Every structure is written in structure tokens, then in C-alpha cells.
Amino acid sequence: MALSLFNFLIIAGLHLFPFIEAATVTKDFNITWAYGNPDGAFNRSVIGINNQWPIPKIEVNKGDRVVINVFNGLGNVSTALHFHGIFLRGQTEMDGAAGVTQCSIPPGSSFTYNFTVDQPGTYWYHSHVKAQYPEGLRGPFIVHDPDMPFKDQYDEEIVLPLSDWYHQMVSTTLMSRFISFANPTGAEPVPDAALMNDTQNLQIHVQPGKTYMFRIINMAAFAAQYFWIEGHTMRVVEVDGVYTEPAEASMLYLTAAQRYSVLVTAKNETGANFAIQGSMDQDLFDAVPDGLNPNVTGWLVYDGAKELPKAQPLDAFEPFDDFGLVPQDGEKLLDKADYTVTLDLKMDNLGDGANYAFFNDITYVVPKVPTIYTALTTGDLATNPAVYGVNTNAFILKKDDIVDIVVNNNDPGKHPFHLHGHNFQVVSRSADEAGPFVANASIEAAFPSVPMRRDTILVRPNGNFVLRFRADNPGIWLFHCHIEWHTASGLIATMIESPLELQSSLTIPEDHYAACRAAKQPFKGNAAGNEKDFLDLKGANVSPKPLPAGFTARGIVALVFSIISAFLGMAAIAWYGAQPLGKGTEMAARGIVAEAGEGVGEGEVTGTRPVGKLE
Ligand code: C2O
């Protein structure tokens, strides 16, 4: 008998118990300038990979090792890549946060990210150098899972990134206008367009009766988007990498950096096509420029010969509330916190007249020495937050402590917060205008018994939230607003988790130090690079001094108006001087669904991997 019983059993066994061997997925990424015109309205320089833009999707299986060999081919700017939502357990040095877990990679240098991925779901990767990802250096990072609990309930999956888009350079032109004495109210530049799959007018061809899993990712710099599919309901099965008990939603709200996987079952007939609509949340915009189209439209195409209908106007946005989602693993509310980090958020001016963002009256300034290297080289003093500098909002977390992060938003804006290295239970989230969180027995009794877990969460205007997690991942993890304008203006805290354990467990690869040497950046000592007296922070990077007493934002506006108009004439400041002071009120009156622009990049006929075709 050629096929022995033994062989037969092996084959049958493999078939019955397929085991997926962990693979190594290797990518060579030359980060380069390229061109992109995703809204068909403006061709601009973008940051691409291997001369291509949009940048590639990274797709791996749970358990895989990922090796990304980066070469910075940009020529003029430094870079770094962050893998948003990936825990990097025991591998914090691969987190990609420039100035925090590594030196940024200078032009002409190489740097390898090498880590294992032990969690399934929908993530993304992006530059973590100030204001750089909105230039296009952001893309999906998908972790497939052979044990996906809903895998029998869908036929195909479709990765669907959303984004906002700017025509001008964000990291240079717009950023220097944003953080400026000429913009004392801190009005954020408003995006020029919304994108779906890095294009507009995307067509997704579907087959009657099939069920699709859409992995929706908001890769925006700024704008949250409402998202819905006309004539179809969605079943949410994943948020930010956490499987959930299926929950019906007719509209989602995705802040910058949030992700949802939803199951959508196609209709049984092919009589019509249906609009897929994304709409930027204009509450975020201080003033809505004339002619802005906040919407991006695509279609579920059942029959390519039939018309592609315009999206229907809506009376109001009524998005699904994520707070009630229940993780499918049933993880219970963690015990009462051992340690609470309370962060009071405000926006205010400093002595240079520009507007900054603050936690507890401190605006983040990146330290001279990346925080990870300070933790590794300051001995026992690594548990003293002072060595990390006054402008880093450093908090020391003890191994396995239950930690609460309370954010009190003393600002009329909405802010999406993200914690690196963890996801968190969302144990409390207030409505608008609730004021600061005040702990009491009845509020605590109302915490959900199985709270929603995710890695990015919205705090509402003048509201608060409480997040809870176990400090079981030694590392240096940022907690920040994921509106890139606010990250740049300082809305960042640094969680220093088990620093002494890092000293004994971490080995930093040589190419990480080589990047520091090439960048002429110190990598030893306290935040100021002092290797002898760790408590002497002389020479550290610090924020501008406070405003002299009595100065207000309005005062600065008046001053700027008079100085500039005297010297340059009014025209020079028309672009920003005319911005109103208050957070947007007038946009409520605007039509919700405007017409999609014409002549934009055409979506392609697609199967499981829709790729917008760019001209
Ligand atoms: Cu999407 Cu600090 O990260």
C-alpha cells in the first residue's frame, strides 16, 4: 500500500486540526516622496513607500513575526513608523514613536522594526513624527485570525479606510500657520476633502445574498466621519481589534484612528445600487470654508449598468453609541484602580502668542533624549518622573497595577484619545458639558460589568471619561489626542510602565542607536541628556513661557490685527484673521449632504480588495 495508514492519519489529522505556522512577513520599505491626487482636485507631493502612493496595506496572520526594513529615502526629513493598536508586548522599542521609543530616522538611514503580533483585528500604521502622517504616510495593518469567531458568517472581507485630506503640506505650511501668534485661537486648518479608500466615487461590486465584512479605518489627521450605507444595516463585530457581541448599527461615528469591522449582507436582488457615505463631523471645524464638501460617496454596486444614486440628505446624524458594545471574550470590569492618572485638558496661549494644548497645565514638548533611553540609563531614578523632563507629562506605572486614566475635557471641542501598548476598558463616559469626573459610589456602581474595550475613544465637549487597564506591558507608552494638530500642540502624556523591569529585559538593536548617532541625538541620561546628575534638567527642551498676566487670546488677536495691518495690509491676514473665536456654531445650519465632486479618481471594479484607481 503506497499510502500507509500512518500517512493517512497524518493527512487526515492535518485536515481536521489545521495548524497555521507562524510566519515571518518581511517588507522592504523605502520611504520616498511621491505624488497623489486622491480627490481629483489637486496634485500634490505625498509621502509614499517604494515610490508608490497610497502606501501598501500590511496583512499578516495572528502570531506572525513582522520585519519591516525601513530606509528613509525622503532626503530632507526624518521619519518613523508606528503600528497603531499593536501591543508590542515586551517590544516597546518597536513602537515607532519618535522621541519616545526611538530617535527619528534621519534621511539616508535605515531602521528595522521587528516584532511579533499576537492579537487579531483591524489596525493601521502611520508615521509618528510630528504632523507627518497626514502627508500620506498612513495605511491599513490587518491581522487575520484563523479562529475569528464570526468567520462562518461572512463570505469576503473588504478593507475600507476613510480619511480627511489636505491640499497643502500639513507638516510645514499648515503647521507653521496653526502654531503661530497669528492664530491665537488655535483654529485648526480644515481639510479640503474626505476620502474613502484614498479616492472618491469608489465602487464596490457585490453579489446578491453574500455577506461582506468591512474593516473600516479612519486614518484622518483631524476629522471624525459619520459612515453609513443606504438601504443596509451593519452588524458591528470588532472595535479597534476587540471582537464584540454583534450589534446592529445604521450609522457609525469614527474618530480619527478608530476602527470598526461590520458585517453587511447584500440584498437578494440587483435592481439598484446604493450609496456608501462618509461625512466629516463639521462640529470639529471652527469655521467651514465656502465650498467645502464634507462628504465622500462610494457605492455598493449590484449592477454596473444601473445608475449610481446620489446620497440622500439627512435631517440629523444619529450614530451608533459604542459605549454599549460588549467584548465577545466577556472580560469583566477590572478591580478598582490601584492608581489613577487624572488629566485636565485645556487649550490656552503661551507667551509666544500661539495656542497650545495642555494636560494639567503642561504642554508636551518632545525631550532631547527619547524617553525609552532615559528609562534605561538613569538607574533607580528611572522611577522618578522628574528625570523625564517637565514637559512630558510622565507618569510611572507599577507592574500589574490597575490604572484609571481620567480625562476632564475643559474645552468645547471633541477629542479622540489613544493609548499605545494597551487597549482599555471604557468604564465611564459623560455626555457633553458634564464637567469633570467626580468619583462616587453611585457612579462606580453604574460602571458596566463587561465594559467596551478599545484603543481610541472620544471625550465629548466639556465632558469626561474614565479608562481602565492593567499595567501588564512594561514599556513607554504615549497617551494622546489623535487629532494631529493637537498632538503637535502638546496634548500628550507619557506612561512609563515598569521602568526598572525594562532595564533588565530590553535589548535595543544596534541600528536604533545608529539612527540616534546619525541624527546627532543623545541617547543617554535624563531628558536633557545629563548623564551625571539625573535630576539636573538644565538645557532640556521646554515650552514657551506663559503669557504675561492680563493677556488674552482676544487681546492677541487685536494686537496682531493692528500690527500686521499697519505693516502689511489686511489682505495678508485674510486667510486666518477672519476666523471666529468661538468653536463652530454656524455649521449646524449647513446642509448635511452636499454633492460629491465631479471628475475625481474613479473607483475600480473590485472583488475583495478594492483599490481606487488614481489618475
Ligand atoms: Cu496612531 Cu500615537 O498613534
Side-chain angles (χ1 to χ4, degrees):
M1 224 206 288
L3 184 65
S4 71
L5 182 62
F6 180 70
N7 276 336
F8 174 77
L9 282 176
I10 286 182
I11 292 164
L14 282 179
H15 181 70
L16 287 175
F17 307 103
F19 72 96
I20 312 273
E21 246 184 289
T24 297
V25 177
T26 304
K27 308 267 179 198
D28 293 316
F29 280 177
N30 181 10
I31 300 182
T32 52
W33 290 103
Y35 285 95
N37 186 6
D39 62 349
F42 194 82
N43 195 33
R44 54 156 288 176
S45 288
V46 294
I47 299 182
I49 289 179
N50 301 334
N51 301 308
Q52 301 270 319
W53 191 88
I55 64 173
K57 214 172 357 209
I58 298 175
E59 292 194 77
V60 303
N61 289 314
K62 186 168 173 251
D64 282 355
R65 171 168 294 281
V66 181
V67 178
I68 299 179
N69 300 308
V70 170
F71 176 76
N72 179 355
L74 291 166
N76 56 347
V77 283
S78 298
T79 193
L81 291 182
H82 168 61
F83 308 91
H84 181 117
I86 304 296
F87 299 147
L88 301 172
R89 202 169 289 285
Q91 319 168 81
T92 185
E93 77 281 12
M94 298 298 173
D95 195 43
V100 182
T101 55
Q102 66 168 93
C103 294
S104 56
I105 310 161
S109 284
S110 301
F111 190 104
T112 296
Y113 295 97
N114 180 338
F115 53 92
T116 52
V117 177
D118 280 318
Q119 56 193 122
T122 308
Y123 304 90
W124 60 305
Y125 71 109
H126 60 81
S127 167
H128 217 296
V129 166
K130 191 171 179 173
Q132 193 172 72
Y133 82 76
E135 316 291 26
L137 191 47
R138 77 282 182 286
F141 188 122
I142 307 299
V143 186
H144 296 287
D145 177 8
D147 304 318
M148 204 287 185
F150 307 102
K151 66 169 186 269
D152 296 335
Q153 297 181 30
Y154 63 90
D155 301 293
E156 285 180 33
E157 53 174 271
I158 295 173
V159 179
L160 194 63
L162 305 174
S163 185
D164 52 15
W165 189 246
Y166 291 90
H167 291 163
Q168 287 174 286
M169 295 294 294
V170 172
S171 51
T172 52
T173 313
L174 293 178
M175 188 52 72
S176 60
R177 287 181 193 170
F178 171 62
I179 300 183
S180 161
F181 71 99
N183 181 32
T185 63
E188 300 85 2
V190 173
D192 295 290
L195 305 177
M196 186 180 286
N197 204 33
D198 283 320
T199 185
Q200 294 181 330
N201 298 337
L202 178 73
Q203 296 183 28
I204 298 174
H205 289 247
V206 293
Q207 285 169 17
K210 275 197 173 177
T211 297
Y212 297 83
M213 183 169 79
F214 287 87
R215 296 179 181 270
I216 310 164
I217 306 169
N218 189 354
M219 312 190 302
F222 181 16
Q225 283 198 39
Y226 297 96
F227 176 89
W228 66 100
I229 305 175
E230 291 190 350
H232 296 71
T233 53
M234 302 177 271
R235 257 184 310 149
V236 177
V237 294
E238 180 216 332
V239 275
D240 297 356
V242 178
Y243 296 130
T244 66
E245 294 299 341
E248 294 271 320
S250 53
M251 178 186 286
L252 301 174
Y253 181 87
L254 293 95
T255 72
Q258 286 186 328
R259 293 90 63 207
Y260 283 86
S261 286
V262 298
L263 303 184
V264 176
T265 299
K267 296 183 184 298
N268 283 321
E269 72 273 340
T270 59
N273 301 319
F274 294 86
I276 306 170
Q277 187 79 346
S279 186
M280 295 192 287
D281 178 3
Q282 296 177 75
D283 285 354
L284 294 160
F285 307 155
D286 283 38
V288 179
D290 282 343
L292 174 72
N293 178 3
N295 306 305
V296 56
T297 307
W299 291 276
L300 280 190
V301 179
Y302 286 82
D303 179 349
K306 296 215 162 64
E307 75 151 337
L308 301 173
K310 285 203 178 100
Q312 296 297 306
L314 300 178
D315 294 332
F317 293 112
E318 282 165 9
F320 176 80
D321 182 2
D322 58 335
F323 187 76
L325 283 170
V326 177
Q328 193 256 350
D329 61 17
E331 186 190 271
K332 296 214 166 45
L333 176 68
L334 296 169
D335 290 344
K336 220 168 150 32
D338 302 298
Y339 180 56
T340 298
V341 175
T342 301
L343 301 169
D344 293 330
L345 182 171
K346 72 165 184 187
M347 313 298 248
D348 203 356
N349 300 87
L350 288 174
D352 60 353
N355 195 281
Y356 292 89
F358 301 80
F359 279 141
N360 304 338
D361 296 321
I362 291 170
T363 186
Y364 181 89
V365 179
V366 72
K368 273 192 180 153
V369 174
T371 303
I372 191 171
Y373 303 134
T374 294
L376 293 179
T377 59
T378 50
D380 287 347
L381 278 175
T383 58
N384 183 338
V387 302
Y388 302 100
V390 291
N391 274 105
T392 54
N393 284 306
F395 294 88
I396 313 293
L397 309 185
K398 283 209 225 87
K399 187 81 203 285
D400 290 326
D401 266 4
I402 306 289
V403 179
D404 277 0
I405 297 181
V406 178
V407 167
N408 295 316
N409 180 13
N410 302 315
D411 177 75
K414 300 172 182 173
H415 299 276
F417 279 99
H418 170 52
L419 176 64
H420 290 211
H422 293 272
N423 53 32
F424 41 71
Q425 297 184 334
V426 182
V427 303
S428 181
R429 179 171 60 186
S430 81
D432 294 17
E433 309 300 326
F437 179 76
V438 183
N440 65 44
S442 73
I443 283 200
E444 280 168 27
F447 287 171
S449 55
V450 180
M452 179 203 20
R453 251 175 24 249
R454 62 187 314 168
D455 65 40
T456 307
I457 181 79
L458 180 77
V459 67
R460 298 195 168 115
N462 290 300
N464 65 66
F465 61 53
V466 182
L467 313 178
R468 183 169 290 182
F469 64 98
R470 186 188 301 279
D472 57 2
N473 189 10
I476 312 296
W477 308 116
L478 291 185
F479 176 75
H480 64 91
C481 177
H482 219 295
I483 289 176
E484 193 67 353
W485 303 112
H486 301 162
T487 312
S489 69
L491 207 43
I492 302 180
T494 314
M495 302 298 148
I496 318 261
E497 195 171 322
S498 317
L500 299 185
E501 182 167 327
L502 291 179
Q503 291 176 3
S504 54
S505 66
L506 274 196
T507 316
I508 304 291
E510 191 43 44
D511 62 334
H512 292 215
Y513 293 127
C516 298
R517 284 191 203 96
K520 302 200 168 35
Q521 188 175 359
F523 51 89
K524 281 183 195 146
N526 68 16
N530 191 322
E531 297 176 43
K532 301 222 166 66
D533 182 355
F534 299 138
L535 294 173
D536 176 2
L537 274 296
K538 208 171 341 80
N541 296 340
V542 292
S543 60
K545 296 259 169 325
L547 267 184
F551 264 81
T552 63
R554 275 163 202 277
I556 299 168
V557 173
L559 190 70
V560 168
F561 259 81
S562 56
I563 294 172
I564 298 184
S565 58
F567 288 97
L568 301 174
M570 291 300 287
I573 53 158
W575 70 270
Y576 245 116
Q579 300 282 4
L581 288 174
K583 281 276 175 185
T585 43
E586 62 195 66
M587 60 283 269
R590 295 176 61 94
I592 287 168
V593 175
E595 257 177 61
E598 278 177 357
V600 291
E602 237 174 310
E604 207 173 38
V605 175
T606 53
T608 54
R609 300 276 173 264
V611 176
K613 192 163 52 179
L614 303 183
E615 289 164 355

mmCIF file of all heavy atoms in Angstrom, residues 82-85 95 97 124-128 133 257 418-420 456 478-482 484 487, ligand 1:
data_model
loop_
_atom_site.group_PDB
_atom_site.id
_atom_site.type_symbol
_atom_site.label_atom_id
_atom_site.label_comp_id
_atom_site.label_asym_id
_atom_site.label_seq_id
_atom_site.Cartn_x
_atom_site.Cartn_y
_atom_site.Cartn_z
ATOM 1 N N HIS A 82 4.846 53.903 13.276
ATOM 2 C CA HIS A 82 4.139 53.389 14.456
ATOM 3 C C HIS A 82 3.043 52.439 13.990
ATOM 4 O O HIS A 82 2.403 52.684 12.969
ATOM 5 C CB HIS A 82 3.547 54.573 15.222
ATOM 6 C CG HIS A 82 2.566 54.179 16.280
ATOM 7 N ND1 HIS A 82 2.903 53.392 17.353
ATOM 8 C CD2 HIS A 82 1.245 54.464 16.441
ATOM 9 C CE1 HIS A 82 1.833 53.220 18.127
ATOM 10 N NE2 HIS A 82 0.820 53.855 17.601
ATOM 11 N N PHE A 83 2.812 51.376 14.761
ATOM 12 C CA PHE A 83 1.825 50.361 14.412
ATOM 13 C C PHE A 83 0.674 50.502 15.383
ATOM 14 O O PHE A 83 0.701 49.959 16.495
ATOM 15 C CB PHE A 83 2.498 48.982 14.416
ATOM 16 C CG PHE A 83 3.743 49.015 13.568
ATOM 17 C CD1 PHE A 83 4.982 49.327 14.122
ATOM 18 C CD2 PHE A 83 3.651 48.868 12.192
ATOM 19 C CE1 PHE A 83 6.112 49.441 13.333
ATOM 20 C CE2 PHE A 83 4.782 48.984 11.389
ATOM 21 C CZ PHE A 83 6.011 49.279 11.967
ATOM 22 N N HIS A 84 -0.308 51.279 14.966
ATOM 23 C CA HIS A 84 -1.346 51.759 15.879
ATOM 24 C C HIS A 84 -2.212 50.614 16.388
ATOM 25 O O HIS A 84 -2.890 49.938 15.609
ATOM 26 C CB HIS A 84 -2.220 52.803 15.162
ATOM 27 C CG HIS A 84 -3.294 53.364 16.027
ATOM 28 N ND1 HIS A 84 -3.350 54.692 16.376
ATOM 29 C CD2 HIS A 84 -4.358 52.785 16.639
ATOM 30 C CE1 HIS A 84 -4.397 54.895 17.156
ATOM 31 N NE2 HIS A 84 -5.024 53.750 17.330
ATOM 32 N N GLY A 85 -2.185 50.427 17.702
ATOM 33 C CA GLY A 85 -3.026 49.416 18.330
ATOM 34 C C GLY A 85 -2.311 48.102 18.604
ATOM 35 O O GLY A 85 -2.821 47.259 19.330
ATOM 36 N N ASP A 95 7.852 50.495 18.942
ATOM 37 C CA ASP A 95 6.580 51.233 18.865
ATOM 38 C C ASP A 95 6.620 52.422 17.903
ATOM 39 O O ASP A 95 5.584 52.969 17.552
ATOM 40 C CB ASP A 95 6.174 51.692 20.267
ATOM 41 C CG ASP A 95 4.725 52.134 20.331
ATOM 42 O OD1 ASP A 95 3.859 51.440 19.752
ATOM 43 O OD2 ASP A 95 4.440 53.181 20.947
ATOM 44 N N ALA A 97 7.396 55.587 18.093
ATOM 45 C CA ALA A 97 7.098 56.969 18.453
ATOM 46 C C ALA A 97 8.412 57.753 18.540
ATOM 47 O O ALA A 97 9.228 57.522 19.438
ATOM 48 C CB ALA A 97 6.342 57.015 19.778
ATOM 49 N N TRP A 124 -3.813 50.064 11.937
ATOM 50 C CA TRP A 124 -3.196 50.840 10.856
ATOM 51 C C TRP A 124 -1.797 51.213 11.270
ATOM 52 O O TRP A 124 -1.422 51.002 12.432
ATOM 53 C CB TRP A 124 -4.052 52.051 10.474
ATOM 54 C CG TRP A 124 -4.358 53.085 11.520
ATOM 55 C CD1 TRP A 124 -4.929 52.869 12.740
ATOM 56 C CD2 TRP A 124 -4.137 54.494 11.416
ATOM 57 N NE1 TRP A 124 -5.088 54.065 13.397
ATOM 58 C CE2 TRP A 124 -4.612 55.082 12.611
ATOM 59 C CE3 TRP A 124 -3.605 55.325 10.435
ATOM 60 C CZ2 TRP A 124 -4.554 56.454 12.857
ATOM 61 C CZ3 TRP A 124 -3.558 56.692 10.676
ATOM 62 C CH2 TRP A 124 -4.030 57.233 11.874
ATOM 63 N N TYR A 125 -1.027 51.646 10.326
ATOM 64 C CA TYR A 125 0.327 52.084 10.654
ATOM 65 C C TYR A 125 0.508 53.478 10.087
ATOM 66 O O TYR A 125 -0.087 53.837 9.071
ATOM 67 C CB TYR A 125 1.375 51.094 10.158
ATOM 68 C CG TYR A 125 1.607 50.998 8.666
ATOM 69 C CD1 TYR A 125 2.780 51.476 8.090
ATOM 70 C CD2 TYR A 125 0.669 50.393 7.825
ATOM 71 C CE1 TYR A 125 3.019 51.369 6.724
ATOM 72 C CE2 TYR A 125 0.903 50.291 6.462
ATOM 73 C CZ TYR A 125 2.073 50.776 5.917
ATOM 74 O OH TYR A 125 2.307 50.670 4.567
ATOM 75 N N HIS A 126 1.309 54.262 10.793
ATOM 76 C CA HIS A 126 1.473 55.647 10.350
ATOM 77 C C HIS A 126 2.761 56.228 10.900
ATOM 78 O O HIS A 126 3.297 55.753 11.910
ATOM 79 C CB HIS A 126 0.264 56.493 10.755
ATOM 80 C CG HIS A 126 -0.024 56.593 12.222
ATOM 81 N ND1 HIS A 126 0.637 57.459 13.069
ATOM 82 C CD2 HIS A 126 -0.918 55.940 13.012
ATOM 83 C CE1 HIS A 126 0.154 57.344 14.291
ATOM 84 N NE2 HIS A 126 -0.795 56.424 14.303
ATOM 85 N N SER A 127 3.226 57.261 10.252
ATOM 86 C CA SER A 127 4.386 57.986 10.757
ATOM 87 C C SER A 127 4.056 58.514 12.140
ATOM 88 O O SER A 127 2.938 58.948 12.413
ATOM 89 C CB SER A 127 4.707 59.155 9.831
ATOM 90 O OG SER A 127 5.635 60.021 10.486
ATOM 91 N N HIS A 128 5.059 58.468 13.028
ATOM 92 C CA HIS A 128 4.869 59.089 14.348
ATOM 93 C C HIS A 128 5.929 60.163 14.559
ATOM 94 O O HIS A 128 6.501 60.312 15.629
ATOM 95 C CB HIS A 128 4.874 58.055 15.459
ATOM 96 C CG HIS A 128 3.911 58.346 16.568
ATOM 97 N ND1 HIS A 128 4.019 59.451 17.393
ATOM 98 C CD2 HIS A 128 2.784 57.694 16.971
ATOM 99 C CE1 HIS A 128 3.024 59.431 18.267
ATOM 100 N NE2 HIS A 128 2.255 58.381 18.034
ATOM 101 N N TYR A 133 2.061 62.045 9.247
ATOM 102 C CA TYR A 133 1.217 61.048 8.583
ATOM 103 C C TYR A 133 0.166 61.665 7.670
ATOM 104 O O TYR A 133 -0.199 61.066 6.650
ATOM 105 C CB TYR A 133 0.657 60.014 9.576
ATOM 106 C CG TYR A 133 -0.564 60.347 10.384
ATOM 107 C CD1 TYR A 133 -1.832 60.336 9.810
ATOM 108 C CD2 TYR A 133 -0.475 60.607 11.741
ATOM 109 C CE1 TYR A 133 -2.963 60.613 10.568
ATOM 110 C CE2 TYR A 133 -1.599 60.877 12.505
ATOM 111 C CZ TYR A 133 -2.844 60.887 11.909
ATOM 112 O OH TYR A 133 -3.955 61.153 12.656
ATOM 113 N N ALA A 257 -8.468 57.614 13.895
ATOM 114 C CA ALA A 257 -7.750 56.470 14.468
ATOM 115 C C ALA A 257 -8.633 55.329 14.951
ATOM 116 O O ALA A 257 -8.123 54.280 15.337
ATOM 117 C CB ALA A 257 -6.795 56.889 15.594
ATOM 118 N N HIS A 418 -5.979 58.175 22.392
ATOM 119 C CA HIS A 418 -5.397 56.868 22.099
ATOM 120 C C HIS A 418 -4.294 56.558 23.100
ATOM 121 O O HIS A 418 -3.486 57.429 23.421
ATOM 122 C CB HIS A 418 -4.820 56.871 20.677
ATOM 123 C CG HIS A 418 -3.989 55.666 20.355
ATOM 124 N ND1 HIS A 418 -4.443 54.377 20.546
ATOM 125 C CD2 HIS A 418 -2.734 55.539 19.845
ATOM 126 C CE1 HIS A 418 -3.488 53.525 20.170
ATOM 127 N NE2 HIS A 418 -2.448 54.200 19.752
ATOM 128 N N LEU A 419 -4.280 55.318 23.579
ATOM 129 C CA LEU A 419 -3.204 54.835 24.432
ATOM 130 C C LEU A 419 -2.396 53.807 23.651
ATOM 131 O O LEU A 419 -2.965 52.859 23.100
ATOM 132 C CB LEU A 419 -3.793 54.197 25.693
ATOM 133 C CG LEU A 419 -2.792 53.543 26.661
ATOM 134 C CD1 LEU A 419 -1.832 54.575 27.246
ATOM 135 C CD2 LEU A 419 -3.549 52.822 27.794
ATOM 136 N N HIS A 420 -1.101 53.994 23.600
ATOM 137 C CA HIS A 420 -0.221 52.996 22.976
ATOM 138 C C HIS A 420 -0.057 51.788 23.922
ATOM 139 O O HIS A 420 -0.160 51.918 25.141
ATOM 140 C CB HIS A 420 1.176 53.573 22.740
ATOM 141 C CG HIS A 420 1.267 54.621 21.662
ATOM 142 N ND1 HIS A 420 2.392 54.789 20.890
ATOM 143 C CD2 HIS A 420 0.387 55.557 21.237
ATOM 144 C CE1 HIS A 420 2.201 55.783 20.034
ATOM 145 N NE2 HIS A 420 0.989 56.283 20.219
ATOM 146 N N THR A 456 -8.961 53.638 21.129
ATOM 147 C CA THR A 456 -9.142 55.068 20.826
ATOM 148 C C THR A 456 -10.570 55.447 21.191
ATOM 149 O O THR A 456 -11.509 54.751 20.786
ATOM 150 C CB THR A 456 -8.872 55.342 19.332
ATOM 151 O OG1 THR A 456 -7.589 54.823 18.988
ATOM 152 C CG2 THR A 456 -8.915 56.839 19.031
ATOM 153 N N LEU A 478 2.733 56.280 24.897
ATOM 154 C CA LEU A 478 2.087 57.587 24.860
ATOM 155 C C LEU A 478 0.584 57.462 25.033
ATOM 156 O O LEU A 478 -0.024 56.459 24.637
ATOM 157 C CB LEU A 478 2.357 58.283 23.517
ATOM 158 C CG LEU A 478 3.782 58.741 23.252
ATOM 159 C CD1 LEU A 478 3.844 59.512 21.931
ATOM 160 C CD2 LEU A 478 4.313 59.611 24.391
ATOM 161 N N PHE A 479 0.008 58.485 25.614
ATOM 162 C CA PHE A 479 -1.444 58.660 25.662
ATOM 163 C C PHE A 479 -1.690 60.041 25.084
ATOM 164 O O PHE A 479 -1.178 61.033 25.608
ATOM 165 C CB PHE A 479 -1.934 58.588 27.111
ATOM 166 C CG PHE A 479 -3.418 58.846 27.250
ATOM 167 C CD1 PHE A 479 -4.339 57.872 26.886
ATOM 168 C CD2 PHE A 479 -3.888 60.060 27.738
ATOM 169 C CE1 PHE A 479 -5.704 58.107 27.006
ATOM 170 C CE2 PHE A 479 -5.257 60.292 27.857
ATOM 171 C CZ PHE A 479 -6.156 59.308 27.490
ATOM 172 N N HIS A 480 -2.421 60.114 23.969
ATOM 173 C CA HIS A 480 -2.543 61.428 23.318
ATOM 174 C C HIS A 480 -3.813 61.580 22.518
ATOM 175 O O HIS A 480 -4.456 60.602 22.144
ATOM 176 C CB HIS A 480 -1.331 61.699 22.417
ATOM 177 C CG HIS A 480 -1.187 60.751 21.253
ATOM 178 N ND1 HIS A 480 -1.730 60.985 20.016
ATOM 179 C CD2 HIS A 480 -0.526 59.569 21.138
ATOM 180 C CE1 HIS A 480 -1.413 59.998 19.190
ATOM 181 N NE2 HIS A 480 -0.692 59.117 19.853
ATOM 182 N N CYS A 481 -4.135 62.840 22.264
ATOM 183 C CA CYS A 481 -5.226 63.149 21.351
ATOM 184 C C CYS A 481 -4.767 62.782 19.951
ATOM 185 O O CYS A 481 -3.655 63.114 19.554
ATOM 186 C CB CYS A 481 -5.568 64.634 21.422
ATOM 187 S SG CYS A 481 -6.862 65.096 20.240
ATOM 188 N N HIS A 482 -5.640 62.072 19.198
ATOM 189 C CA HIS A 482 -5.225 61.644 17.863
ATOM 190 C C HIS A 482 -5.633 62.627 16.771
ATOM 191 O O HIS A 482 -5.622 62.292 15.584
ATOM 192 C CB HIS A 482 -5.708 60.224 17.555
ATOM 193 C CG HIS A 482 -4.706 59.408 16.797
ATOM 194 N ND1 HIS A 482 -4.316 59.722 15.508
ATOM 195 C CD2 HIS A 482 -3.974 58.321 17.142
ATOM 196 C CE1 HIS A 482 -3.417 58.826 15.101
ATOM 197 N NE2 HIS A 482 -3.187 57.973 16.076
ATOM 198 N N GLU A 484 -4.099 65.290 14.852
ATOM 199 C CA GLU A 484 -2.660 65.545 14.699
ATOM 200 C C GLU A 484 -2.307 66.997 15.040
ATOM 201 O O GLU A 484 -1.215 67.271 15.537
ATOM 202 C CB GLU A 484 -2.211 65.151 13.292
ATOM 203 C CG GLU A 484 -0.707 65.078 13.105
ATOM 204 C CD GLU A 484 0.021 63.966 13.875
ATOM 205 O OE1 GLU A 484 -0.599 63.264 14.699
ATOM 206 O OE2 GLU A 484 1.237 63.805 13.658
ATOM 207 N N THR A 487 -1.879 66.791 18.790
ATOM 208 C CA THR A 487 -0.648 66.091 19.154
ATOM 209 C C THR A 487 0.514 67.069 19.029
ATOM 210 O O THR A 487 1.370 67.168 19.907
ATOM 211 C CB THR A 487 -0.416 64.888 18.208
ATOM 212 O OG1 THR A 487 -1.622 64.140 18.110
ATOM 213 C CG2 THR A 487 0.682 63.990 18.716
HETATM 214 CU CU1 C2O B 1 -1.973 56.230 15.991
HETATM 215 CU CU2 C2O B 1 0.411 57.759 18.883
HETATM 216 O O1 C2O B 1 -0.762 56.933 17.439
#
